[in-house]
Amino acid sequence: KWLQVQVVHSCGPLSAGQSVRLMYYSAQIPADLVDKLERLALLDFRTKQGLVCLEKAIRHADQLLVVDTSAVEPMDSVLEDRALNLRDDTAMEGDCAEELLRLSKNIVEEYFVAPPGKIVHLISVRTSQEASLPH
Amino acid sequence: MNILNVILKNYRSRLQRNQTTWPPPVLQRVSCYVICVNKYQYFVQKFPRGAPVNSNREENGKRNIYAPQQLVGVVGLEIHAQINSNTKLFSGSSVRFSAPPNSLVSFFDASLPGTLPVLNKRCVEAVVMTGLALNCTINKKSLFDRKHYFYADLPAGYQITQQRQPTAVNGRLTYSFLEGKKRSQVTKTVSIKQIQLEQDSGKSLHDDVRGQTLIDLNRAEGQLRVDANVSVHKPGEPLGIRTEVKNINSIRYLAKAIDYEIQRQIDILQSGGRVQNETRLICTADKAPLFSTPAFRFMPEPNLPPLIVYEDNASLPAGISVCQAVVLQAIRQELPELPSIKRDRLVQTYGILPEHSFTLVNEDGLVEYFESVLKVTKMEPRKVIGWVTNDLLGHLKQQDMSSIQTAQLALVYILLRTRVFLLAAASQVFQEMWTSSGKTAQQIFQEKDLALVTDTAQLHSICQRVVDSHPEEVDAIRNGKKKVLNKLMGLVQKETKGRADPVLVRNILQEKTS
């Protein structure tokens, strides 16, 4: 409810659909969705603070729904008015295996070494929570 | 499923032979991506348990005792083909087969921070050309996206691709194949959803012994990869849940895998189950599901502006030079003769069977060879085609296909010497050439004494011998069965080891049997 008030204050009246959407997100996010998000982003945030942070992030993004974008093409790149530079098909790079392999702690002959199979380690976000999302 | 074999066979054979004929961009280096969607009808004549359903009989007036389950398979193919270019799609490092691991890797390819993608002009030309060859609409403006997933051989954590707005859309491929015992020509069309540029991931080698994976970021795998998306539904109803079948490493298994998957899904649905949206890997007998289809979190690639392709030089804006732009008109002009047109032309011009036109077009260099034989010998195309498709190909298949070059030269020599094209002699020369290395066609020709026998006296005596020893055949010829003459000719040729001038022999025999 408090969110609704805030939005009306800044941007004008909401349509029925938009307000319903915002109200949904004040509820808890289902556990299997959290699971999926963790797997997709390789982040471990299943703490109380983590989930609160997630909720706030979603609400923050929801402000976009308030803007009337009918008949407006989305801008998906700030470079949209630039010309894309095309490169000539001539070899100019590469041949620096030694330099690259030196960056890795673990190499075998001239290969980088990775743990087998899919990466499953989740990176904990506990420390990065302080780096805040505005709310 | 032979249908798919025909389309994909062309790609594969050219890939193996490093060809630049059509399709021109399909080979090596960085991915170009095609989705074809086609529908196959599978009528499952499975009877429901219990009493047969008779209601149809009266309604339709047909003797339709059982109501078949009309589940139709829908197949979409994702084809990854590497573009024939010198450098990679987004970096200036070269692309080569069998280079030492990680030797063709630039800082960008290693996903080092601060590096940016720079698009390869040749790759754009390649994807546009493929689009034009496959009757697509070329999007003058196309966009790049990031497709995220985590895997050791993808150091950036994403692939740059063109999901939303690719370079080419809505194409179609019309193809023919020969069906059944009568080899009748069937023509079909498959629609192509889109063709897009896509980055390749690296190569990973799994070392199970030490429990580690070795990563090579060179990316020149040189393979044609096909993944099949399969679902089933009743016609008219929405499409069913699809599964993706990956890791198919031959065209033959592609057909089998699709058939298997369609049947598997039909069985599930008929027993009341639900098909899972998952990815299945082909591995021998079990086709166990591996992982559910991941969400790729597509987002626009922030480092690349939209790609613009121009219609002609006149439409280039100020400030863009021709060398910096990809122009459709220029690429259209570079398109070579497409296979179906070539095949039709061969059938029309030379009166050969469609079946033969397939053989000629499918083997590189064979059309040129065939045409040069015709030009020099002025022999009937149908005679030459028989030899080319049977004997010559038979020889070539045992050798490296590049032998067709040497075959070309040998042929020219033989023709100059004999002035009549002796196919049997040519076969002998080829045989010898490839078994005993080092000898030229000339040497073998002389050694085997393959020169034409034109000495009339000699021919007369041989013909006489044959005629004398085959009185029954001579009678048959005199009685009107002219075709029996061919048998006698064959015998004469056998005696002369195929070196007799056929025209002379025929005349002599006709004389003797009249």
Side-chain angles (χ1 to χ4, degrees):
Chain A
K1 280 260 163 83
W2 68 266
L3 186 62
Q4 246 182 315
V5 168
Q6 187 185 46
V7 166
V8 165
H9 173 68
S10 56
C11 306
L14 292 168
S15 76
Q18 283 167 337
S19 58
V20 165
R21 186 89 177 270
L22 288 167
M23 272 157 59
Y24 170 81
Y25 284 126
S26 67
Q28 253 206 327
I29 296 153
D32 58 347
L33 181 60
V34 174
D35 261 344
K36 189 172 185 184
L37 290 171
E38 282 190 318
R39 255 185 299 120
L40 286 180
L42 285 194
L43 293 174
D44 164 23
F45 56 86
R46 202 189 294 258
T47 59
K48 192 160 167 232
Q49 296 106 308
L51 292 171
V52 165
C53 187
L54 175 64
E55 244 181 90
K56 285 181 183 170
I58 295 171
R59 284 204 208 132
H60 177 69
D62 275 342
Q63 291 178 80
L64 292 170
L65 295 171
V66 166
V67 181
D68 180 12
T69 57
S70 43
V72 177
E73 273 294 303
M75 174 199 251
D76 46 39
S77 169
V78 293
L79 305 169
E80 64 180 14
D81 293 327
R82 299 265 204 105
L84 175 55
N85 187 31
L86 293 176
R87 176 174 49 84
D88 210 34
D89 192 24
T90 323
M92 307 267 266
E93 300 177 89
D95 204 22
C96 50
E98 224 182 279
E99 231 180 307
L100 289 172
L101 291 165
R102 226 181 292 144
L103 296 169
S104 176
K105 269 191 280 188
N106 213 356
I107 55 166
V108 166
E109 293 176 15
E110 288 158 320
Y111 292 94
F112 294 104
V113 177
K118 273 182 78 88
I119 300 167
V120 283
H121 315 298
L122 302 181
I123 304 158
S124 169
V125 291
R126 243 160 274 165
T127 48
S128 59
Q129 267 169 103
E130 281 75 49
S132 58
L133 285 161
H135 57 275
Chain B
M1 289 302 160
N2 312 329
I3 308 163
L4 297 170
N5 287 342
V6 169
I7 313 166
L8 296 168
K9 187 189 170 191
N10 272 334
Y11 281 89
R12 193 185 180 208
S13 64
R14 274 148 189 80
L15 181 68
Q16 281 169 349
R17 272 172 244 131
N18 216 16
Q19 270 298 312
T20 53
T21 53
W22 186 87
V26 179
L27 295 168
Q28 298 158 35
R29 318 326 124 129
V30 186
S31 310
C32 176
Y33 178 83
V34 176
I35 302 184
C36 312
V37 178
N38 198 353
K39 264 192 154 175
Y40 292 86
Q41 289 270 330
Y42 276 70
F43 286 98
V44 180
Q45 294 289 334
K46 279 198 176 169
F47 308 122
R49 285 178 205 241
V53 178
N54 283 324
S55 56
N56 283 347
R57 200 198 312 211
E58 273 66 54
E59 275 170 30
N60 306 348
K62 292 188 215 170
R63 285 192 59 80
N64 206 5
I65 304 171
Y66 298 97
Q69 283 272 15
Q70 285 190 3
L71 282 170
V72 173
V74 180
V75 180
L77 296 181
E78 243 181 69
I79 302 173
H80 298 255
Q82 293 185 295
I83 296 174
N84 191 5
S85 63
N86 299 324
T87 57
K88 295 187 169 56
L89 181 59
F90 290 118
S91 79
S93 49
S94 44
V95 190
R96 266 197 326 267
F97 284 115
S98 312
N102 292 306
S103 61
L104 305 175
V105 180
S106 69
F107 289 174
F108 170 78
D109 303 323
S111 304
L112 298 191
T115 55
L116 292 172
V118 188
L119 184 56
N120 182 342
K121 185 175 178 216
R122 162 83 187 112
C123 293
V124 181
E125 290 167 351
V127 71
V128 169
M129 202 184 257
T130 308
L132 292 172
L134 290 169
N135 300 298
C136 295
T137 307
I138 304 294
N139 282 333
K140 297 273 183 9
K141 176 173 161 183
S142 55
L143 305 171
F144 288 97
D145 305 309
R146 287 186 183 178
K147 179 178 175 182
H148 297 82
Y149 62 94
F150 291 107
Y151 203 72
D153 62 14
L154 196 67
Y158 62 85
Q159 255 183 319
I160 301 179
T161 180
Q162 288 187 307
Q163 185 64 24
R164 293 168 293 154
Q165 204 166 308
T167 308
V169 289
N170 296 332
R172 75 183 178 281
L173 175 66
T174 305
Y175 55 95
S176 310
F177 62 101
L178 301 165
E179 196 176 45
K181 286 185 187 165
K182 289 192 180 173
R183 311 292 277 158
S184 48
Q185 194 165 346
V186 179
T187 305
K188 296 227 172 198
T189 308
V190 67
S191 53
I192 296 178
K193 183 169 180 285
Q194 64 193 62
I195 307 183
Q196 65 199 66
L197 288 168
E198 184 176 275
Q199 235 181 347
D200 222 354
S201 62
K203 209 162 39 182
S204 43
L205 303 168
H206 300 287
D207 181 358
D208 294 320
V209 171
R210 278 181 222 101
Q212 60 191 13
T213 302
L214 307 179
I215 308 293
D216 173 11
L217 298 173
N218 278 351
R219 292 172 173 79
E221 288 189 53
Q223 272 183 348
L224 183 75
R225 296 198 309 276
V226 184
D227 300 327
N229 292 283
V230 181
S231 70
V232 296
H233 75 143
K234 287 199 180 133
E237 288 184 12
L239 293 178
I241 305 286
R242 68 176 170 94
T243 59
E244 195 184 353
V245 185
K246 289 175 97 84
N247 201 34
I248 306 165
N249 42 28
S250 88
I251 307 295
R252 200 155 43 100
Y253 281 117
L254 174 65
K256 285 188 185 177
I258 292 174
D259 283 337
Y260 178 93
E261 184 59 23
I262 289 178
Q263 194 55 54
R264 187 190 74 90
Q265 290 193 15
I266 287 175
D267 291 342
I268 290 177
L269 290 180
Q270 291 205 308
S271 61
R274 277 180 65 216
V275 177
Q276 300 290 323
N277 173 225
E278 60 196 355
T279 302
R280 298 166 82 79
L281 284 193
I282 298 299
C283 41
T284 60
D286 320 297
K287 290 164 179 67
L290 197 71
F291 46 90
S292 58
T293 311
F296 290 117
R297 296 179 290 153
F298 283 100
M299 68 173 253
E301 169 56 60
N303 293 325
L304 291 170
L307 169 63
I308 314 287
V309 171
Y310 300 97
E311 180 59 46
D312 48 34
N313 286 350
S315 49
L316 288 178
I320 309 272
S321 68
V322 178
C323 61
Q324 252 295 306
V326 173
V327 177
L328 283 180
Q329 198 181 51
I331 296 181
R332 268 193 206 105
Q333 282 164 358
E334 274 177 41
L335 268 178
E337 186 183 32
L338 297 181
S340 55
I341 300 187
K342 208 181 228 183
R343 281 196 294 267
D344 286 340
R345 178 174 63 78
L346 290 169
V347 169
Q348 297 297 329
T349 318
Y350 301 117
I352 57 175
L353 295 173
E355 188 180 335
H356 294 143
S357 73
F358 274 98
T359 316
L360 284 181
V361 172
N362 280 356
E363 302 297 344
D364 300 317
L366 203 55
V367 174
E368 291 73 23
Y369 190 79
F370 173 69
E371 287 185 316
S372 60
V373 167
L374 290 180
K375 199 157 74 162
V376 179
T377 63
K378 303 192 196 341
M379 269 182 87
E380 246 197 66
R382 281 180 192 250
K383 280 197 185 154
V384 180
I385 195 73
W387 179 75
V388 166
T389 52
N390 296 326
D391 292 1
L392 180 64
L393 268 190
H395 286 302
L396 289 176
K397 276 191 190 336
Q398 288 162 16
Q399 312 294 328
D400 182 9
M401 291 308 259
S402 65
S403 302
I404 205 164
Q405 302 286 354
T406 37
Q408 190 95 0
L409 301 165
L411 177 69
V412 173
Y413 176 72
I414 295 168
L415 296 172
L416 291 171
R417 285 296 306 267
T418 62
R419 273 182 276 157
V420 171
F421 185 45
L422 287 183
L423 303 174
S427 282
Q428 277 192 285
V429 172
F430 293 142
Q431 186 82 14
E432 189 67 28
M433 248 169 49
W434 290 320
T435 46
S436 53
S437 55
K439 289 193 192 165
T440 63
Q442 289 96 308
Q443 285 173 313
I444 300 166
F445 202 79
Q446 271 153 11
E447 274 175 40
K448 297 238 165 193
D449 191 19
L450 295 171
L452 200 64
V453 177
T454 47
D455 180 352
T456 17
Q458 196 184 1
L459 284 178
H460 262 278
S461 62
I462 299 172
C463 287
Q464 193 61 55
R465 270 207 303 276
V466 167
V467 164
D468 289 340
S469 52
H470 292 84
E472 282 170 14
E473 281 81 358
V474 176
D475 278 335
I477 296 169
R478 285 189 181 140
N479 284 336
K481 292 192 183 157
K482 298 291 175 193
K483 287 199 177 174
V484 182
L485 194 72
N486 291 337
K487 184 177 173 186
L488 295 182
M489 277 194 68
L491 291 167
V492 173
Q493 290 290 15
K494 210 166 150 185
E495 281 244 14
T496 59
K497 296 198 188 103
R499 286 172 290 141
D501 184 342
V503 175
L504 276 177
V505 171
R506 186 174 274 276
N507 290 341
I508 296 169
L509 282 175
Q510 272 171 343
E511 217 186 280
K512 289 187 186 297
T513 56
S514 56

